Amino acid sequence: MQPKSKLLRAMQSNMRSRHYSPRTEATYLDWVRRFVRFHQLRHPRELGASEIREFLGHLAVDRKLSASSLAQATAAIVFLYREVLRVPPGDFGPLPSPRRPTRIPVVLTPAEVRKVVAGLEGMPRLIALVLYGGGLRLSEALSLRVKDVDLERAEIRIRRGKGAKDRVTCLPALLRDPVAAQVARVRSLHEADLAADPAGGWVVLPDALERKYPSAGRTLAWQWLFPATRRYLDPATGQLRRHHFHDTAMQRAMARAVAASGLTKRAGCHTLRHSFATHLLESGSDIRTVQELLGHRDVATTMLYTHVLNRGGLGVTSPADRAGLGDLLQD
């Protein structure tokens, strides 16, 4: 949904000119809406550092927001004042901020991955295998185009991943034939769309490519690897377009599969990416290689997976095991 007010439209336009991701754009706009509503719909030009501090303090103390969410809200409001209103936000001073916890990611064993994936079927199963086999984020997998998969080189190219970074990751050998079959299904679906309607067969293209290559959005190379079942009419162009498989549909399928597997771990789609990294490190892969495959900017982020390697409590033997206390458990 497009922002209604001139302020939000100006902020949206500013972020798009800077190529902010759609998720960041939506999140920043939402925080600005909350800020304005908190102050009874007063225009931000009428508000200053004290009002910003009051709002952020409310989020931290009353709403008990996490440190990351509070930082996100602060960044959105600072962006509004500095980049849109061109007014210094002022010094709103230190805020009550919770400590950022150092969380260890949830990781599945290979056997648990098999259980979960077995509970999926059709396209969700193939998506899950791509997530685990290449360490992709869900948004990256769903945004894959036909041209991004190189079956000969067994590579997957991720375009504009998190942080607007491109990278290359591996396509497992066991997925070559299933992915090739998926490309064939996309080809058949695309040909049917072209034959069914003169305005059909289109997909949205990133940035200004629609103007640079007007017909590219109707070629097979740019079609989504995991397309949606339904088409939609774009009111601006009159084109019948097809979106990619929706993320919520995949998340729901994954949640059902985890529940059916009987696992007690709180696992989701991103858990497959965590498992990919951990299992690579367990098999002896170099951490710099894993960093490149995951697209981490800092190796310190990748180092987090060393804390969940299958080494039995960081590779130590508990003194309870050395003391021979097992017979006490027989009572």
Side-chain angles (χ1 to χ4, degrees):
M1 182 179 294
Q2 296 295 322
K4 295 180 180 179
S5 72
K6 291 182 180 179
L7 176 67
L8 292 180
R9 284 200 299 269
M11 185 171 177
Q12 183 184 59
S13 177
N14 194 307
M15 287 188 287
R16 289 187 176 180
S17 69
R18 298 167 186 269
H19 299 288
Y20 277 38
S21 73
R23 287 180 182 271
T24 301
E25 176 186 307
T27 301
Y28 275 27
L29 291 173
D30 184 58
W31 280 121
V32 170
R33 286 191 191 96
R34 295 190 192 188
F35 175 59
V36 172
R37 288 170 185 162
F38 179 79
H39 289 291
Q40 287 75 49
L41 303 182
R42 292 168 61 192
H43 196 281
R45 287 190 184 277
E46 302 174 8
L47 308 174
S50 61
E51 287 81 9
I52 296 175
R53 178 176 175 78
E54 182 184 358
F55 173 66
L56 296 177
H58 161 73
L59 296 179
V61 178
D62 300 330
R63 299 297 303 275
K64 297 181 173 60
L65 257 64
S66 66
S68 58
S69 295
L70 192 60
Q72 196 178 65
T74 304
I77 294 172
V78 170
F79 181 90
L80 169 70
Y81 278 88
R82 287 181 178 170
E83 308 300 338
V84 182
L85 299 177
R86 301 289 182 177
V87 175
D91 182 12
F92 42 86
L95 296 167
S97 177
R99 289 186 179 181
R100 288 179 179 265
T102 302
R103 290 193 169 94
I104 297 176
V106 176
V107 173
L108 304 179
T109 66
E112 289 171 336
V113 171
R114 182 180 180 83
K115 277 186 179 181
V116 172
V117 174
L120 297 167
E121 56 185 20
M123 196 180 300
R125 176 180 286 188
L126 182 56
I127 294 172
L129 288 170
V130 169
L131 295 177
Y132 177 61
L136 279 71
R137 301 176 179 91
L138 177 58
S139 61
E140 294 169 344
L142 297 182
S143 299
L144 289 175
R145 315 272 185 160
V146 171
K147 66 180 183 60
D148 295 330
V149 178
D150 190 332
L151 296 173
E152 294 298 322
R153 294 176 60 88
E155 292 178 348
I156 299 175
R157 298 184 184 90
I158 291 92
R159 309 290 185 181
R160 294 193 65 183
K162 188 175 182 180
K165 293 178 292 186
D166 291 0
R167 73 178 191 278
V168 176
T169 189
C170 55
L171 175 67
L174 66 89
L175 290 184
R176 287 191 188 183
D177 289 343
V179 170
Q182 178 63 19
V183 171
R185 284 191 289 270
V186 173
R187 183 191 299 273
S188 298
L189 182 64
H190 181 53
E191 290 174 351
D193 286 347
L194 292 173
D197 197 301
W202 295 91
V203 293
V204 66
L205 297 182
D207 302 329
L209 285 178
E210 287 182 317
R211 294 194 301 273
K212 189 174 182 180
Y213 306 110
S215 60
R218 218 180 183 200
T219 61
L220 175 64
W222 280 97
Q223 299 299 307
W224 303 109
L225 181 62
F226 302 113
T229 55
R230 297 180 181 179
R231 296 180 296 172
Y232 68 96
L233 180 64
D234 181 51
T237 63
Q239 297 171 348
L240 276 173
R241 292 179 172 178
R242 194 177 290 277
H243 196 48
H244 58 64
F245 194 75
H246 205 276
D247 55 350
T248 55
M250 182 61 200
Q251 289 163 349
R252 288 169 185 160
M254 185 70 176
R256 290 192 295 268
V258 171
S261 71
L263 297 182
T264 57
K265 295 179 180 179
R266 190 172 180 270
C269 293
H270 207 67
T271 308
L272 297 175
R273 173 175 161 89
H274 294 324
S275 303
F276 165 83
T278 305
H279 297 166
L280 278 182
L281 291 172
E282 285 177 345
S283 65
S285 295
D286 178 75
I287 195 164
R288 292 286 184 179
T289 301
V290 179
Q291 177 192 1
E292 290 294 323
L293 293 174
L294 293 176
H296 288 160
R297 181 175 300 175
D298 191 342
V299 72
T301 307
T302 317
M303 287 290 291
L304 185 63
Y305 294 106
T306 62
H307 295 290
V308 289
L309 294 181
N310 187 19
R311 295 178 183 171
L314 299 181
V316 302
T317 301
S318 169
D321 291 324
R322 295 182 182 278
L325 303 178
D327 60 311
L328 300 180
L329 298 176
Q330 306 301 319
D331 297 338

